[in-house]
Amino acid sequence: MRADALFDVRGLATIVTGAASGIGLACAEVMAANGARVTLMDRNANELENAVGRLTSDGMDVRGEVVDVTDRAGLNLAFDAAARVHGRMDVVFANAGVGGGAGFLTVKGERNPDGAFENISDQRWDDAVANNLSSMFWSIQAAVRHMKPQGGGRIIVTTSIAAIKAESVVGTPYMPVKAGAAHLVKQAALELARYGILVNAIAPGPFLTNISGRKMFDPDVRGYHERVVPMKRLGTTDEMMGLALFLASPASKYITGTQIVIDGGATLGSAD
Ligand SMILES: NC(=O)c1ccc[n+]([C@@H]2O[C@H](COP(=O)([O-])OP(=O)(O)OC[C@H]3O[C@@H](n4cnc5c(N)ncnc54)[C@H](O)[C@@H]3O)[C@@H](O)[C@H]2O)c1
């Protein structure tokens, strides 16, 4: 089979949440650049307008919906609107999420009281659950309501390597919510395979994005990841595009319930 047929996403009605920046924007861009019709969703109206404007001026078929994925009613309305405009819902990237905040260690290896277990506020815990877990549940639900009657679809959830391994420099609430999202993917995949709905996860390691107030660009944070990641660098968002396209395309049509790690080897351990 030819590569252009294996990776053919032309015309696919696609939604990407958290699409104004970083990994979500890369997913939206690679889909639209290859002929999909894409609705970009984000709570940041200005950045969303910029992203939609840039892709539109490059000739891509995209539109935007300002929505906060922690607002379940708003999320359902935005998904319904996208389905109305596109006429179907083939691919949903449930990607929007927020960073973990302070870990119990700084990147210099010192104890950080802000990240200590006993100091984590209810607000931080609730934010992590709402943005990184409940939002994924609601996004999958909203997608299924459209995909089941139409006879299939693809759902791709952005988790994290924090779903697999504990971390010292990332806030504690981030681990269980990402692990929860990863397990949710398996459960959804089990139930929905019968209906032709494939559900998979992308688990990134450290990527250079705007997450957590652009902390990945901080020289100390960046330097830490460059030391501990076996490939000695962070990922760039264009390096997410191949995996995003793979999971949305015929190339992956017998894959469901899996979580694909993309991390420069970070989950393997440290090396020289
Ligand atoms: N960058 C990394 O190192 C990394 C590593 C592992 C996992 N992730 C995950 O990747 C996903 C994307 O993050 P990113 O690194 O591209 O960050 P980013 O900050 O560059 O982009 C995230 C986008 O999501 C939007 N967003 C956040 N919360 C939202 C909400 N409640 N409703 C609507 N939009 C919302 C933001 O406005 C932003 O445009 C997140 O789920 C994150 O947890 C990132």
Side-chain angles (χ1 to χ4, degrees):
M1 209 169 171
R2 289 174 52 96
D4 54 0
L6 275 173
F7 295 96
D8 187 6
V9 295
R10 283 172 302 166
L12 292 183
T14 302
I15 289 173
V16 184
T17 71
S21 171
I23 290 167
L25 180 53
C27 295
E29 184 164 355
V30 72
M31 291 298 290
N34 286 282
R37 299 169 296 140
V38 183
T39 294
L40 290 80
M41 297 187 183
D42 206 285
R43 67 179 174 191
N44 186 328
N46 288 339
E47 290 303 317
L48 183 64
E49 197 181 331
N50 290 341
V52 170
R54 180 172 69 76
L55 300 186
T56 303
S57 66
D58 286 344
M60 300 181 202
D61 186 349
V62 298
R63 56 187 293 279
E65 289 274 351
V66 179
V67 63
D68 187 324
V69 295
T70 66
D71 165 15
R72 182 183 209 165
L75 178 82
N76 283 333
L77 285 176
F79 271 56
D80 290 348
R84 240 187 343 268
V85 173
H86 293 310
R88 9 185 331 107
M89 195 180 291
D90 297 306
V91 182
V92 169
F93 288 89
N95 163 79
V98 296
F104 68 86
L105 291 184
T106 69
V107 290
K108 293 180 174 158
E110 294 148 352
R111 287 274 162 174
N112 184 0
D114 285 348
F117 215 100
E118 65 276 23
N119 294 334
I120 294 165
S121 66
D122 288 351
Q123 183 66 49
R124 271 188 66 193
W125 175 263
D126 291 345
D127 281 352
V129 173
N131 283 283
N132 292 341
L133 182 56
S134 299
S135 63
M136 298 305 187
F137 175 61
W138 294 331
S139 298
I140 295 172
Q141 266 193 333
V144 170
R145 272 197 287 269
H146 291 275
M147 289 175 176
K148 215 166 169 180
Q150 83 187 6
R154 303 289 182 99
I155 301 171
I156 300 142
V157 174
T158 308
T159 56
S160 167
I161 59 170
I164 299 164
K165 67 192 269 290
E167 293 267 0
S168 52
V169 301
V170 178
T172 290
Y174 196 71
M175 315 309 142
V177 295
K178 287 297 190 183
H183 207 60
L184 188 63
V185 162
K186 288 191 194 173
Q187 181 68 19
L190 176 66
E191 177 179 339
L192 299 169
R194 166 81 173 74
Y195 304 101
I197 302 171
L198 310 186
V199 192
N200 291 293
I202 290 175
F207 270 70
L208 268 176
T209 70
N210 294 320
I211 200 160
S212 301
R214 291 175 64 80
K215 78 166 184 189
M216 292 304 196
F217 290 90
D218 176 288
D220 288 339
V221 174
R222 194 170 174 164
Y224 166 82
H225 291 295
E226 286 168 354
R227 276 196 310 281
V228 301
V229 173
M231 284 181 69
K232 299 295 169 206
R233 64 180 181 81
L234 289 83
T236 60
T237 54
D238 59 330
E239 291 173 318
M240 187 56 74
M241 291 181 172
L243 180 53
L245 191 67
F246 172 67
L247 286 175
S249 67
S252 62
K253 68 183 178 189
Y254 197 54
I255 296 177
T256 195
T258 198
Q259 173 169 247
I260 300 185
V261 170
I262 175 164
D263 71 346
T267 42
L268 300 173
S270 298
D272 60 357

